[in-house]
PDB file of all heavy atoms in Angstrom:
ATOM      1  N   VAL B 484      10.915  -7.882  28.595  1.00 97.00           N
ATOM      2  CA  VAL B 484       9.764  -7.033  28.961  1.00 97.00           C
ATOM      3  C   VAL B 484       9.201  -6.297  27.755  1.00 97.00           C
ATOM      4  O   VAL B 484       9.940  -5.755  26.990  1.00 97.00           O
ATOM      5  CB  VAL B 484      10.232  -6.027  29.977  1.00 97.00           C
ATOM      6  CG1 VAL B 484       9.037  -5.095  30.423  1.00 97.00           C
ATOM      7  CG2 VAL B 484      10.811  -6.641  31.253  1.00 97.00           C
ATOM      8  N   LEU B 486       7.075  -3.294  26.519  1.00 97.00           N
ATOM      9  CA  LEU B 486       6.583  -2.045  26.867  1.00 97.00           C
ATOM     10  C   LEU B 486       5.647  -1.542  25.766  1.00 97.00           C
ATOM     11  O   LEU B 486       6.098  -1.422  24.657  1.00 97.00           O
ATOM     12  CB  LEU B 486       7.770  -0.998  27.047  1.00 97.00           C
ATOM     13  CG  LEU B 486       7.547   0.288  27.886  1.00 97.00           C
ATOM     14  CD1 LEU B 486       7.136  -0.046  29.312  1.00 97.00           C
ATOM     15  CD2 LEU B 486       8.800   1.132  27.787  1.00 97.00           C
ATOM     16  N   LEU B 493       5.931   1.716  16.058  1.00 95.00           N
ATOM     17  CA  LEU B 493       5.863   1.542  14.620  1.00 95.00           C
ATOM     18  C   LEU B 493       4.533   0.884  14.160  1.00 95.00           C
ATOM     19  O   LEU B 493       3.888   0.170  14.986  1.00 95.00           O
ATOM     20  CB  LEU B 493       7.014   0.645  14.151  1.00 95.00           C
ATOM     21  CG  LEU B 493       8.441   1.125  14.436  1.00 95.00           C
ATOM     22  CD1 LEU B 493       9.427   0.087  14.097  1.00 95.00           C
ATOM     23  CD2 LEU B 493       8.753   2.428  13.732  1.00 95.00           C
ATOM     24  N   PRO B 494       4.069   1.124  12.942  1.00 94.00           N
ATOM     25  CA  PRO B 494       2.830   0.546  12.515  1.00 94.00           C
ATOM     26  C   PRO B 494       2.983  -1.016  12.441  1.00 94.00           C
ATOM     27  O   PRO B 494       4.035  -1.479  12.235  1.00 94.00           O
ATOM     28  CB  PRO B 494       2.587   1.097  11.112  1.00 94.00           C
ATOM     29  CG  PRO B 494       3.943   1.576  10.654  1.00 94.00           C
ATOM     30  CD  PRO B 494       4.655   2.031  11.943  1.00 94.00           C
ATOM     31  N   LEU B 540       9.091 -21.349  20.709  1.00 97.00           N
ATOM     32  CA  LEU B 540      10.313 -21.504  20.085  1.00 97.00           C
ATOM     33  C   LEU B 540      11.457 -20.695  20.815  1.00 97.00           C
ATOM     34  O   LEU B 540      11.191 -19.601  21.386  1.00 97.00           O
ATOM     35  CB  LEU B 540      10.306 -20.966  18.635  1.00 97.00           C
ATOM     36  CG  LEU B 540       9.304 -21.690  17.696  1.00 97.00           C
ATOM     37  CD1 LEU B 540       9.124 -21.004  16.383  1.00 97.00           C
ATOM     38  CD2 LEU B 540       9.789 -23.150  17.539  1.00 97.00           C
ATOM     39  N   LEU B 552      14.850   6.207  26.906  1.00 95.00           N
ATOM     40  CA  LEU B 552      13.914   5.504  26.024  1.00 95.00           C
ATOM     41  C   LEU B 552      13.753   6.229  24.681  1.00 95.00           C
ATOM     42  O   LEU B 552      13.460   5.587  23.712  1.00 95.00           O
ATOM     43  CB  LEU B 552      12.567   5.457  26.736  1.00 95.00           C
ATOM     44  CG  LEU B 552      11.680   4.230  26.384  1.00 95.00           C
ATOM     45  CD1 LEU B 552      12.287   2.970  26.527  1.00 95.00           C
ATOM     46  CD2 LEU B 552      10.335   4.328  27.185  1.00 95.00           C
ATOM     47  N   TRP B 558      16.491   4.743  17.672  1.00 95.00           N
ATOM     48  CA  TRP B 558      17.308   3.726  17.058  1.00 95.00           C
ATOM     49  C   TRP B 558      16.434   2.603  16.393  1.00 95.00           C
ATOM     50  O   TRP B 558      16.707   2.096  15.322  1.00 95.00           O
ATOM     51  CB  TRP B 558      18.180   3.067  18.182  1.00 95.00           C
ATOM     52  CG  TRP B 558      19.078   2.006  17.633  1.00 95.00           C
ATOM     53  CD1 TRP B 558      20.309   2.126  17.076  1.00 95.00           C
ATOM     54  CD2 TRP B 558      18.749   0.540  17.611  1.00 95.00           C
ATOM     55  NE1 TRP B 558      20.867   0.855  16.735  1.00 95.00           N
ATOM     56  CE2 TRP B 558      19.915  -0.076  17.048  1.00 95.00           C
ATOM     57  CE3 TRP B 558      17.704  -0.220  18.045  1.00 95.00           C
ATOM     58  CZ2 TRP B 558      19.941  -1.433  16.844  1.00 95.00           C
ATOM     59  CZ3 TRP B 558      17.738  -1.589  17.775  1.00 95.00           C
ATOM     60  CH2 TRP B 558      18.818  -2.153  17.250  1.00 95.00           C
ATOM     61  N   ARG B 567      11.399  -1.745   6.233  1.00 83.00           N
ATOM     62  CA  ARG B 567       9.953  -1.576   5.887  1.00 83.00           C
ATOM     63  C   ARG B 567       9.849  -0.338   4.948  1.00 83.00           C
ATOM     64  O   ARG B 567      10.707   0.599   4.972  1.00 83.00           O
ATOM     65  CB  ARG B 567       9.158  -1.257   7.141  1.00 83.00           C
ATOM     66  CG  ARG B 567       9.124  -2.376   8.104  1.00 83.00           C
ATOM     67  CD  ARG B 567       7.863  -2.213   9.012  1.00 83.00           C
ATOM     68  NE  ARG B 567       8.024  -2.749  10.344  1.00 83.00           N
ATOM     69  CZ  ARG B 567       7.079  -2.634  11.246  1.00 83.00           C
ATOM     70  NH1 ARG B 567       6.008  -1.958  11.024  1.00 83.00           N
ATOM     71  NH2 ARG B 567       7.304  -3.140  12.459  1.00 83.00           N
ATOM     72  N   SER B 603      23.584  34.179  27.715  1.00 56.00           N
ATOM     73  CA  SER B 603      23.862  33.784  26.318  1.00 56.00           C
ATOM     74  C   SER B 603      22.581  33.836  25.520  1.00 56.00           C
ATOM     75  O   SER B 603      21.568  33.277  25.968  1.00 56.00           O
ATOM     76  CB  SER B 603      24.416  32.340  26.341  1.00 56.00           C
ATOM     77  OG  SER B 603      24.418  31.844  25.040  1.00 56.00           O
ATOM     78  N   PRO B 604      22.541  34.387  24.293  1.00 53.00           N
ATOM     79  CA  PRO B 604      21.377  34.437  23.451  1.00 53.00           C
ATOM     80  C   PRO B 604      20.914  33.021  23.142  1.00 53.00           C
ATOM     81  O   PRO B 604      19.713  32.768  23.041  1.00 53.00           O
ATOM     82  CB  PRO B 604      21.872  35.164  22.210  1.00 53.00           C
ATOM     83  CG  PRO B 604      23.136  35.907  22.582  1.00 53.00           C
ATOM     84  CD  PRO B 604      23.706  35.099  23.657  1.00 53.00           C
ATOM     85  N   LYS B 605      21.793  32.067  23.047  1.00 52.00           N
ATOM     86  CA  LYS B 605      21.432  30.650  22.654  1.00 52.00           C
ATOM     87  C   LYS B 605      20.557  30.068  23.802  1.00 52.00           C
ATOM     88  O   LYS B 605      19.753  29.194  23.471  1.00 52.00           O
ATOM     89  CB  LYS B 605      22.711  29.925  22.409  1.00 52.00           C
ATOM     90  CG  LYS B 605      23.439  30.228  21.121  1.00 52.00           C
ATOM     91  CD  LYS B 605      24.566  29.248  20.828  1.00 52.00           C
ATOM     92  CE  LYS B 605      25.238  29.596  19.540  1.00 52.00           C
ATOM     93  NZ  LYS B 605      26.351  28.621  19.324  1.00 52.00           N
ATOM     94  N   SER B 606      20.810  30.512  24.983  1.00 50.00           N
ATOM     95  CA  SER B 606      20.016  29.919  26.144  1.00 50.00           C
ATOM     96  C   SER B 606      18.591  30.240  25.978  1.00 50.00           C
ATOM     97  O   SER B 606      17.708  29.601  26.649  1.00 50.00           O
ATOM     98  CB  SER B 606      20.585  30.391  27.452  1.00 50.00           C
ATOM     99  OG  SER B 606      20.366  31.747  27.613  1.00 50.00           O
ATOM    100  N   PHE B 610      12.108  26.459  21.446  1.00 66.00           N
ATOM    101  CA  PHE B 610      12.118  25.120  20.852  1.00 66.00           C
ATOM    102  C   PHE B 610      11.195  25.018  19.684  1.00 66.00           C
ATOM    103  O   PHE B 610       9.967  25.364  19.739  1.00 66.00           O
ATOM    104  CB  PHE B 610      11.585  24.112  22.025  1.00 66.00           C
ATOM    105  CG  PHE B 610      11.303  22.778  21.563  1.00 66.00           C
ATOM    106  CD1 PHE B 610      12.365  21.954  21.121  1.00 66.00           C
ATOM    107  CD2 PHE B 610      10.004  22.232  21.562  1.00 66.00           C
ATOM    108  CE1 PHE B 610      12.108  20.638  20.636  1.00 66.00           C
ATOM    109  CE2 PHE B 610       9.801  20.921  21.151  1.00 66.00           C
ATOM    110  CZ  PHE B 610      10.831  20.126  20.663  1.00 66.00           C
ATOM    111  N   ASP B 611      11.710  24.538  18.559  1.00 84.00           N
ATOM    112  CA  ASP B 611      10.947  24.474  17.344  1.00 84.00           C
ATOM    113  C   ASP B 611      10.425  22.966  17.273  1.00 84.00           C
ATOM    114  O   ASP B 611      11.059  22.083  16.843  1.00 84.00           O
ATOM    115  CB  ASP B 611      11.812  24.725  16.117  1.00 84.00           C
ATOM    116  CG  ASP B 611      10.979  24.806  14.856  1.00 84.00           C
ATOM    117  OD1 ASP B 611       9.952  24.242  14.724  1.00 84.00           O
ATOM    118  OD2 ASP B 611      11.445  25.486  13.917  1.00 84.00           O
ATOM    119  N   ASP B 636      -7.172  17.881  12.207  1.00 93.00           N
ATOM    120  CA  ASP B 636      -8.372  18.463  11.670  1.00 93.00           C
ATOM    121  C   ASP B 636      -9.070  17.639  10.615  1.00 93.00           C
ATOM    122  O   ASP B 636     -10.234  17.857  10.261  1.00 93.00           O
ATOM    123  CB  ASP B 636      -8.049  19.877  10.996  1.00 93.00           C
ATOM    124  CG  ASP B 636      -7.524  20.858  12.010  1.00 93.00           C
ATOM    125  OD1 ASP B 636      -7.829  20.696  13.204  1.00 93.00           O
ATOM    126  OD2 ASP B 636      -6.879  21.811  11.570  1.00 93.00           O
ATOM    127  N   GLY B 655      -3.843  14.492   0.479  1.00 94.00           N
ATOM    128  CA  GLY B 655      -4.659  14.667   1.678  1.00 94.00           C
ATOM    129  C   GLY B 655      -4.742  16.082   2.119  1.00 94.00           C
ATOM    130  O   GLY B 655      -5.790  16.563   2.563  1.00 94.00           O
ATOM    131  N   ALA B 673     -18.472  14.906   1.288  1.00 90.00           N
ATOM    132  CA  ALA B 673     -17.520  15.465   0.302  1.00 90.00           C
ATOM    133  C   ALA B 673     -16.225  14.740   0.346  1.00 90.00           C
ATOM    134  O   ALA B 673     -15.644  14.485  -0.729  1.00 90.00           O
ATOM    135  CB  ALA B 673     -17.276  16.934   0.570  1.00 90.00           C
ATOM    136  N   ALA B 704      12.115  -5.107 -27.868  1.00 67.00           N
ATOM    137  CA  ALA B 704      12.360  -6.440 -28.468  1.00 67.00           C
ATOM    138  C   ALA B 704      12.722  -6.280 -29.970  1.00 67.00           C
ATOM    139  O   ALA B 704      13.597  -6.971 -30.501  1.00 67.00           O
ATOM    140  CB  ALA B 704      11.098  -7.303 -28.323  1.00 67.00           C
ATOM    141  N   ILE B 732      20.268 -23.488 -26.198  1.00 78.00           N
ATOM    142  CA  ILE B 732      20.209 -22.885 -27.511  1.00 78.00           C
ATOM    143  C   ILE B 732      18.930 -23.262 -28.251  1.00 78.00           C
ATOM    144  O   ILE B 732      18.244 -22.397 -28.919  1.00 78.00           O
ATOM    145  CB  ILE B 732      21.452 -23.300 -28.373  1.00 78.00           C
ATOM    146  CG1 ILE B 732      22.693 -22.737 -27.675  1.00 78.00           C
ATOM    147  CG2 ILE B 732      21.337 -22.847 -29.784  1.00 78.00           C
ATOM    148  CD1 ILE B 732      24.046 -23.169 -28.289  1.00 78.00           C
TER     149      ILE B 732
END
Side-chain angles (χ1 to χ4, degrees):
V484 178
L486 199 62
L493 300 173
L540 299 171
L552 206 55
W558 181 86
R567 297 203 209 177
S603 170
K605 290 185 178 180
S606 66
F610 172 65
D611 189 335
D636 297 339
I732 294 175

